[in-house]
Amino acid sequence: MIPRLAILGVGLIGGSLARALKRAQRVGEIVGCGRNEDQLRKAVELGVIDRYTTDPAEAVRGADVVVLGTPVSAMRAVLASIRDHLAPQAVLTDVGSAKGCVVEDARAVFGGLPERFVPGHPIAGTEKSGVEASFAELFEHRRVILTPHVENAAPAVDLVRTMWLATGAQVVEMGIRHHDEVLAATSHLPHVLAYTVVDTLAAMDDRAEIFRYAAGGFRDFTRISASDPAMWRDICLANRECLVAVIDEYVGNLQRLRAALAAGDEPTVYETFRRAKHARDNFYRE
């Protein structure tokens, strides 16, 4: 049970966490915080949070757990604004899609990594955003990655793990650098590709006809390009070192496939597709 939970950034992820914990009866009061007061009022009307403030320092005062759902680009400023207002027992965690930059920000603000700061990342979401898109079932059977650091107090890690388990999530632990490398390949690269494909087709002279005859495969592949562009700009830039490395690898493979297509090299084209199908069928699980 979390007597008081503060969520800074009550959007899809923060709102869904609040809904899930309320459904599981694992939370007392939930205080929301953000810059958009209309969204915060809507969160109260929907029963997602109990009260709100636009002042981060006020939001975390007396909170037992503080969840940072702010954009990764704003993390350092938010941490600085709450640093001197956290309760001694408060456990701090985040939901950022990149972990190295968040840990770096925390170290800069606190002069070291606080023992009660537990970095985390729920691997869940939709292309929609905002508290109205939130729902309690978002994390069910989804993975939440925690990236504890060597200074962490074990009870703080246990509390964050228990919080996410209460939402129906599967909780795993991973090193900070490894997390960013894995997510660059499995999440950030696909978003880059989806945005780039749609942007490329939209620039063509016959774009209206192209989109008119796009089939279901195009819709499924490019669905994530409907995600918030500002949010994904921030994520990709925050994890740019790992992302650029995996983009380079992808570009190399794409160039080899292009050469095979130009040469009419049927065996190479087929083998590329066959390997991809085998990997998709055998390694990926919904």
Side-chain angles (χ1 to χ4, degrees), residues 7 13 28 33 47 61 65 70-71 114 155 178 185 200 221 235 242 270-271 279 285:
I7 300 178
I13 300 298
C33 183
R61 193 168 285 122
V65 175
T70 53
H178 186 50
T200 299
F221 173 69
I235 291 170
C242 294
Y270 172 77
E271 187 59 22
R285 295 290 182 270

Side-chain angles (χ1 to χ4, degrees), residues 1-2 5 16-28 65 135-144 146 157-171:
M1 185 70 177
I2 300 171
L5 172 69
S16 295
L17 174 61
R19 289 180 186 271
L21 292 176
K22 282 194 171 190
R23 181 187 62 174
Q25 298 182 335
R26 297 295 185 90
V27 67
V65 175
F135 57 102
E137 300 78 17
L138 178 62
F139 308 109
E140 288 183 357
H141 311 299
R142 300 293 183 180
R143 288 185 176 85
V144 171
L146 302 185
V157 178
D158 290 341
L159 178 56
V160 175
R161 181 187 299 110
T162 301
M163 178 186 76
W164 283 112
L165 288 173
T167 70
Q170 302 169 1
V171 181

Side-chain angles (χ1 to χ4, degrees), residues 79-275:
L79 287 169
S81 70
I82 67 174
R83 178 188 60 192
D84 299 328
H85 305 279
L86 293 166
Q89 82 281 3
V91 171
L92 182 63
T93 188
D94 77 300
V95 298
S97 294
K99 297 270 66 79
C101 62
V102 174
V103 169
E104 204 175 287
D105 289 341
R107 184 179 282 114
V109 169
F110 291 97
L113 291 179
E115 65 174 11
R116 301 178 74 80
F117 168 54
V118 185
H121 178 205
I123 311 299
T126 71
E127 69 276 15
K128 299 178 181 178
S129 60
V131 69
E132 291 173 290
S134 65
F135 57 102
E137 300 78 17
L138 178 62
F139 308 109
E140 288 183 357
H141 311 299
R142 300 293 183 180
R143 288 185 176 85
V144 171
I145 301 174
L146 302 185
T147 59
H149 50 86
V150 293
E151 290 90 351
N152 264 141
V157 178
D158 290 341
L159 178 56
V160 175
R161 181 187 299 110
T162 301
M163 178 186 76
W164 283 112
L165 288 173
T167 70
Q170 302 169 1
V171 181
V172 299
E173 292 186 10
M174 192 178 287
I176 293 166
R177 175 70 181 189
H178 186 50
H179 167 278
D180 286 356
E181 291 172 342
V182 169
L183 269 295
T186 60
S187 176
H188 308 166
L189 176 65
H191 277 82
V192 167
L193 298 182
Y195 281 122
T196 304
V197 167
V198 175
D199 189 50
T200 299
L201 298 185
M204 292 182 175
D205 290 338
D206 52 351
R207 58 187 177 276
E209 186 174 42
I210 288 173
F211 285 110
R212 186 180 304 121
Y213 291 104
F218 177 83
R219 180 197 62 226
D220 295 342
F221 173 69
T222 61
R223 175 186 60 81
I224 54 178
S225 68
S227 302
D228 182 354
M231 179 183 74
W232 279 99
R233 173 203 62 200
D234 291 348
I235 291 170
C236 290
L237 288 173
N239 197 29
R240 59 186 177 273
E241 182 183 346
C242 294
L243 180 55
V244 167
V246 75
I247 287 175
D248 287 344
E249 188 169 346
Y250 174 79
V251 168
N253 287 332
L254 188 62
Q255 287 175 335
R256 282 188 286 274
L257 180 59
R258 181 195 181 284
L261 289 167
D265 183 352
E266 182 180 327
T268 297
V269 173
Y270 172 77
E271 187 59 22
T272 301
F273 293 170
R274 187 202 64 77
R275 285 196 309 270

